[in-house]
Amino acid sequence: MKNKILILEDEFSIRSFMKLKLKSLGYEVIDFDNSREALNFCDEDVDVALLDVMLPDIDGFEVCRRLKVAFPDMGIIMITAKGSEEDIVTGLNSGADDYIVKPFGAKELEARIASVLRRVERIKHPEKKEKSIETVGVFTIDNMKKVVTKNGEVIGLTPTEFLLLKSLIENKNSTLDRNELLDMVWGDDYVGDSKVVEVNIRRIRQKVEDDPSKPQYIKTVRGYGYMWSHES
């Protein structure tokens, strides 16, 4: 079965380029030039959505937030303007899994989508060798349902956040540097930078820590990376 990709981009030349390239790679592609149509036609069969930030009706950040609520397992890649770090951070904070900066080439587009699809597949089909349920202190990881709970309460996580939190918990009391986390979650062929790790860590802290400004669980090891600190 072909993976289904949604493109939301109002610039015709960019949208056409992406559509032709992705179809040539064997993907099923649906494309839109406005947000309302994309939101109305989007369904759970979409594996990855490519969302431009600047759109004529609803901006890409809001579309991302709505899609993540409706389809939490969907992979989302934001298409941002060159050098706009604010757009990148805002997109990741909205729940996006990755970003791609204009102008971009066919090889980068292919690599970004392949990387996100691998994470989506890991969420949908966990490795058989994994325990179905893992418990660390007040946290429980359900690998079948792709859910993490704290004191029995479900923590709302995106697929990327789930994999990142799972990686930290399973390596509790061990420091993982940013490159190690990139390899574990985004894959060793990821073409981005460590900014995605930092933004996702901030998002997860907002969800798991009692006081995110004074993290009890996800500790920063300055100059190196992060550690899940927990006494079991």
Side-chain angles (χ1 to χ4, degrees), residues 136 139 141 148 164-172 228:
V136 177
F139 294 88
I141 305 170
V148 177
L164 182 53
L165 182 56
K166 174 179 163 65
S167 297
L168 288 166
I169 291 176
E170 290 179 343
N171 292 276
K172 63 180 181 177
W228 181 268

Side-chain angles (χ1 to χ4, degrees), residues 15-204:
R15 191 173 71 255
S16 297
F17 155 69
M18 290 193 291
K19 184 176 181 179
L20 287 171
K21 177 58 183 177
L22 295 179
K23 281 191 169 184
S24 74
L25 293 170
Y27 294 117
E28 179 184 350
V29 181
I30 52 173
D31 64 296
F32 303 92
D33 62 3
N34 72 87
S35 302
R36 297 186 190 281
E37 284 190 11
L39 287 168
N40 287 336
F41 281 89
C42 195
D43 58 34
E44 62 185 9
D45 292 333
V46 172
D47 296 294
V48 176
L50 295 157
L51 309 178
D52 187 27
V53 170
M54 300 299 293
L55 294 160
D57 46 1
I58 305 170
D59 70 44
F61 303 133
E62 179 60 24
V63 174
C64 177
R65 284 188 283 267
R66 294 187 190 185
L67 289 179
K68 278 299 183 183
V69 170
F71 312 105
D73 288 348
M74 184 184 297
I76 295 181
I77 301 174
M78 301 302 299
I79 304 171
T80 71
K82 184 178 181 180
S84 180
E85 185 168 338
E86 183 179 351
D87 280 357
I88 292 169
V89 174
T90 302
L92 293 172
N93 280 328
S94 299
D97 299 282
D98 202 357
Y99 63 90
I100 187 167
V101 179
K102 296 178 182 178
F104 54 86
K107 290 294 185 183
E108 183 179 3
L109 177 66
E110 180 180 355
R112 297 279 186 179
I113 291 174
S115 178
V116 170
L117 278 172
R118 280 193 294 274
R119 294 200 296 281
V120 170
E121 286 302 310
R122 284 174 62 193
I123 289 291
K124 292 181 177 178
H125 307 290
E127 295 181 18
K128 291 182 179 180
K129 67 180 180 180
E130 291 182 330
K131 296 179 181 177
S132 58
I133 302 289
E134 301 176 64
T135 300
V136 177
V138 299
F139 294 88
T140 298
I141 305 170
D142 187 327
N143 286 308
M144 300 305 294
K145 295 181 179 178
K146 291 88 66 178
V147 167
V148 177
T149 62
K150 178 184 179 183
N151 292 317
E153 296 291 325
V154 174
I155 302 168
L157 299 169
T158 67
T160 298
E161 290 169 350
F162 174 83
L163 291 174
L164 182 53
L165 182 56
K166 174 179 163 65
S167 297
L168 288 166
I169 291 176
E170 290 179 343
N171 292 276
K172 63 180 181 177
N173 298 322
S174 298
T175 303
L176 299 173
D177 69 30
R178 292 165 181 80
N179 288 330
E180 286 177 308
L181 289 168
L182 279 174
D183 288 349
M184 289 178 177
V185 179
W186 285 266
D188 57 11
D189 57 351
Y190 178 66
V191 294
D193 57 43
S194 64
K195 190 186 287 92
V196 294
V197 175
E198 296 163 15
V199 174
N200 277 280
I201 289 289
R202 287 201 298 270
R203 281 211 313 259
I204 294 171

